[in-house]
Amino acid sequence: MRSAWQPLLFIIALFPVWAGASDLFGDDPLPTVDEAIQLVTDADWDNQQLLLDFELIDDVYLYQHRFGFSLRDQNGNVLEDFADYALPPGKDKTDEIFGDVEVYYDRLSLTLPVNSVPLVATELEVRYQGCIEDTLCYPPTKKVIPLANPSPAKKSPAATAATPPESASPRADDGGFLSTLQSEDANAFNRWMTDRSLGLIIGLFFVGGLLLAFTPCVFPMVPILSGIIAGEKEPSASRGFVLSTSYVLGMAVPYTLAGLLVAVFGAGLNLQVLLQQPAAIITSTVIFVLLALSMFGLYELQLPAFLRNKLHQPGDSKRGSLFGAAIMGTISALVVSPCVTPILAGALIYVAASGDALTGAASLFALSMGMGLPLIIVGTGGGSLLPRAGMWMEEIKRFFGVVMLGVAIWLLDRIINGTITLGLYGLLLAVYGVQLGALEAAGEGLARLKRGIALVLALYGSVMIVGALSGGDDPLQPLAPMTQSAPAAATANTPGDHGPWQTILGRDNLSSALAGSRQAGNPVLVDFFAEWCVACKVLEETTLSDPQVLAAMKDFDLYRVDITEINADSQAIMEQYNILGLPALVFFTPAGAELPESRVLGEMKPERFLEHLNKRVMPGL
């Protein structure tokens, strides 16, 4: 009830003080709010802070409790709300409206710390309210100040004066095109593309796509494409080339759309998170199961009759399978390889900052085509190597059917319990082993070898089922819960059991951990991780557990932020820290500010990571 009457009381309170205005200012008009309170802002991205300077004329004051700040991108997404920011102490005052308050006179300088440097142009919203002593209170004021896209090449005057040119950190793009390709700094691609021609940008991303093709994110696409080709009645090199090209073109569709969408909606549109929603994963799983069942000969996948009749032309009776290959390529790009790399992140940063939809679409199309070129080569060669129709061909189709079911289980692992996943893997291997002839009499030659493989598959599948029943969830160590003592098994399943890495769940827990490190004066490395991210697991199992890497970071607080579960909290974390995709490593100084130009996006070998620490991280601590 008090809040409903407060505006009326505020207006009534103006009448007595308005009468005294003529005594203070005479016949001169009262100053406007902008004349009485002048606000000057600046962004010091190198030190990760925003500078605000309020200049007040005589007898004007600002209420401490009426301040509010928020940093947004150009699409209105909140990047920082400064909820934990504490204003400096003011002077005590008894106010007619608000009671006992603290106010500021003459001049007020504020420094707003930014947790991470935004990767796009932003807007700072400042809310405040001031009064003229015993004369007039201005209404609440809101200022929206546009801030330019951060440019590491341009330092603020204070930073330039404090840092000699020779001590500046080496720029990732000093070596030009090749150095940019080898850089793990996403901003290096953003800087390199500035003022470049569209042709050079497309060339960079095509070559970058070729490099991306040899990462674990793309490997699952190889058996999928091979299964599509194996499903043909008469596979050949020419047919393999046509199908693989259709698959790659379908794969290019979501990448091209991503460039357009990010250009329109900005970096706040986190496509990687959106594509890991349970509905998207379940839909994709169903499609892979249907494709697997067609490999087993239960039915033949093809377009509906009315579409097949429209598309059918003389000499082109397989248009339906080409369309199916393109659809599978699109699905694979959406959910099978949800990894982000520096070059992909660089494209999204550039597109979001420039709003150039043509450049974004063209560069990401080139990236996908570069990524798909090795797949076309594999598909063409695979088409010529596969046997013609017969028993061997049927066995190969069944094998790829099992592979498709394995991919479906791998997708489900992102949203179901690991124990259930282990049981499904075990059931799949056991049934396939029996189907291969594990329980049949051994023949001679290749038949004996086939039965031996079948027995191994069936036995290992049975072991995985037993492991799942005992609570295991690791396909490589299915019986671990049965071989460990009870306390050890319980410890192994705790969220924080990752060596020196402390696993954190939730935005509040992360904020508390960073605050604790800031109070202790320790530098921090945060690993943003998800179980559905293939590259995250590779990075964790190789680089982040390497003894030399851990020794080099012995003074760091190491936090592993698990955002496997797709919910509002996970999305808030990614938005707050400007995480375009996973894996992402973010370094913080002992003062709690993100270290500029130090992020790692995508995979990095231990040797390169140590070099990154020495060149980009340690000099800034």
Side-chain angles (χ1 to χ4, degrees):
M1 180 63 68
R2 179 184 176 183
S3 60
W5 283 97
Q6 194 174 48
L8 179 59
L9 294 176
F10 179 78
I11 295 173
I12 294 173
L14 290 181
F15 285 99
V17 299
W18 198 292
S22 59
D23 296 335
L24 184 62
F25 291 93
D27 294 331
D28 295 332
L30 291 174
T32 64
V33 64
D34 290 333
E35 292 172 342
I37 306 168
Q38 298 182 14
L39 171 61
V40 178
T41 61
D42 190 18
D44 182 5
W45 297 124
D46 294 290
N47 296 307
Q48 294 187 226
Q49 59 188 10
L50 303 176
L51 309 176
L52 285 72
D53 192 28
F54 293 87
E55 291 282 354
L56 311 178
I57 65 174
D58 293 340
D59 297 310
V60 173
Y61 59 87
L62 288 169
Y63 291 110
Q64 183 192 67
H65 69 285
R66 301 293 284 174
F67 276 105
F69 313 95
S70 61
L71 184 65
R72 306 172 184 270
D73 63 19
Q74 293 179 326
N75 298 299
N77 300 301
V78 177
L79 305 178
E80 293 275 359
D81 56 12
F82 304 101
D84 299 328
Y85 179 71
L87 286 161
K91 294 183 178 181
D92 294 331
K93 181 178 178 61
T94 300
D95 188 77
E96 295 182 3
I97 301 176
F98 298 112
D100 293 333
V101 295
E102 292 187 36
V103 298
Y104 303 102
Y105 290 91
D106 299 327
R107 180 174 182 176
L108 175 64
S109 295
L110 301 177
T111 300
L112 301 179
V114 181
N115 287 329
S116 59
V117 176
L119 303 177
V120 295
T122 54
E123 296 177 342
L124 176 64
E125 181 181 297
V126 184
R127 300 176 297 278
Y128 55 92
Q129 185 176 5
C131 294
I132 303 175
E133 191 78 58
D134 298 327
T135 302
L136 169 69
C137 278
Y138 295 104
T141 304
K142 180 174 73 173
K143 295 284 187 182
V144 178
I145 300 98
L147 301 174
N149 183 29
S151 175
K154 297 180 181 179
K155 293 182 176 290
S156 65
T160 304
T163 307
E166 58 269 18
S167 67
S169 60
R171 284 172 56 87
D173 54 350
D174 286 341
F177 184 85
L178 294 179
S179 295
T180 302
L181 282 176
Q182 296 173 354
S183 173
E184 279 81 18
D185 179 13
N187 284 296
F189 299 95
N190 183 24
R191 293 193 299 268
W192 191 91
M193 286 186 291
T194 303
D195 299 327
R196 302 283 182 176
S197 68
L198 183 59
L200 285 176
I201 293 174
I202 291 175
L204 170 70
F205 285 105
F206 181 80
V207 178
L210 284 174
L211 300 178
L212 181 62
F214 299 99
T215 64
C217 298
V218 182
F219 290 162
M221 295 185 180
V222 176
I224 295 172
L225 176 59
S226 301
I228 293 173
I229 297 173
E232 290 290 295
K233 294 180 179 179
E234 295 292 335
S236 64
S238 60
R239 188 62 184 168
F241 173 79
V242 172
L243 285 172
S244 57
T245 301
S246 299
Y247 180 88
V248 170
L249 288 174
M251 186 179 70
V253 171
Y255 281 93
T256 305
L257 288 176
L260 291 171
L261 291 174
V262 172
V264 174
F265 296 103
L269 180 67
N270 201 304
L271 297 175
Q272 189 186 35
V273 171
L274 295 177
L275 295 175
Q276 297 307 309
Q277 298 289 343
I281 292 175
I282 293 173
T283 301
S284 304
T285 300
V286 171
I287 292 175
F288 278 104
V289 170
L290 293 176
L291 183 61
L293 295 179
S294 72
M295 292 288 182
F296 298 141
L298 296 182
Y299 48 79
E300 182 178 355
L301 283 179
Q302 57 183 1
L303 289 173
F306 72 96
L307 287 177
R308 196 164 63 249
N309 294 335
K310 290 183 179 180
L311 292 173
H312 177 71
Q313 300 291 337
D316 190 20
S317 59
K318 298 184 178 180
R319 291 280 291 275
S321 58
L322 297 183
F323 182 78
I327 292 296
M328 288 306 301
T330 301
I331 295 171
S332 300
L334 288 174
V335 294
V336 176
S337 60
C339 304
V340 70
T341 61
I343 197 165
L344 177 56
L348 298 177
I349 294 170
Y350 178 79
V351 173
S354 67
D356 188 345
L358 174 61
T359 301
S363 59
L364 287 175
F365 177 80
L367 178 80
S368 59
M369 293 308 295
M371 187 172 62
L373 181 59
L375 292 174
I376 294 176
I377 295 174
V378 169
T380 303
S384 61
L385 295 176
L386 288 173
R388 298 298 180 264
M391 286 302 299
W392 270 105
M393 191 65 211
E394 293 302 317
E395 291 287 354
I396 289 175
K397 289 176 65 175
R398 280 194 288 269
F399 167 76
F400 281 112
V402 173
V403 170
M404 295 295 178
L405 289 177
V407 172
I409 297 172
W410 176 65
L411 289 174
L412 278 178
D413 186 38
R414 304 171 188 183
I415 58 175
I416 64 175
N417 185 274
T419 299
I420 299 177
T421 302
L422 180 63
L424 291 175
Y425 278 132
L427 183 63
L428 177 63
L429 289 182
V431 172
Y432 184 50
V434 172
Q435 191 274 329
L436 280 179
L439 303 181
E440 298 176 2
E444 298 295 334
L446 291 177
R448 187 179 292 271
L449 175 62
K450 176 184 174 184
R451 183 172 184 268
I453 295 174
L455 277 173
V456 170
L457 292 175
L459 288 174
Y460 193 71
S462 301
V463 170
M464 294 173 77
I465 293 174
V466 172
L469 293 174
S470 63
D473 58 7
D474 186 355
L476 299 180
Q477 296 180 339
L479 299 180
M482 302 177 65
T483 58
Q484 295 176 346
S485 60
T491 303
N493 290 326
T494 58
D497 184 33
H498 293 277
W501 291 88
Q502 177 184 346
T503 299
I504 295 176
L505 297 173
R507 184 183 183 185
D508 293 339
N509 291 333
L510 176 58
S511 298
S512 299
L514 291 176
S517 297
R518 185 167 59 250
Q519 292 178 355
N522 296 333
V524 175
L525 171 56
V526 179
D527 170 26
F528 292 92
F529 173 91
E531 292 291 343
W532 42 259
C533 171
V534 179
C536 295
K537 295 183 178 180
V538 173
L539 186 66
E540 183 182 77
E541 293 170 1
T542 56
T543 302
L544 299 184
S545 59
D546 183 87
Q548 290 184 328
V549 171
L550 294 177
M553 296 190 299
K554 59 183 177 61
D555 297 327
F556 282 72
D557 288 340
L558 305 178
Y559 299 135
R560 180 178 180 266
V561 179
D562 192 341
I563 51 179
T564 300
E565 185 177 351
I566 307 301
N567 52 33
D569 200 35
S570 298
Q571 296 185 46
I573 289 175
M574 298 189 77
E575 290 176 4
Q576 178 178 351
Y577 295 96
N578 294 324
I579 304 301
L580 290 174
L582 303 179
L585 304 179
V586 181
F587 294 86
F588 294 90
T589 66
E594 183 184 345
L595 195 62
E597 298 188 51
S598 64
R599 287 195 179 199
V600 174
L601 297 174
E603 294 178 61
M604 185 184 285
K605 297 293 179 62
E607 298 78 13
R608 292 294 300 275
F609 187 83
L610 290 171
E611 181 182 351
H612 180 77
L613 285 177
N614 293 329
K615 288 186 177 181
R616 289 296 185 89
V617 178
M618 297 306 182
L621 298 179

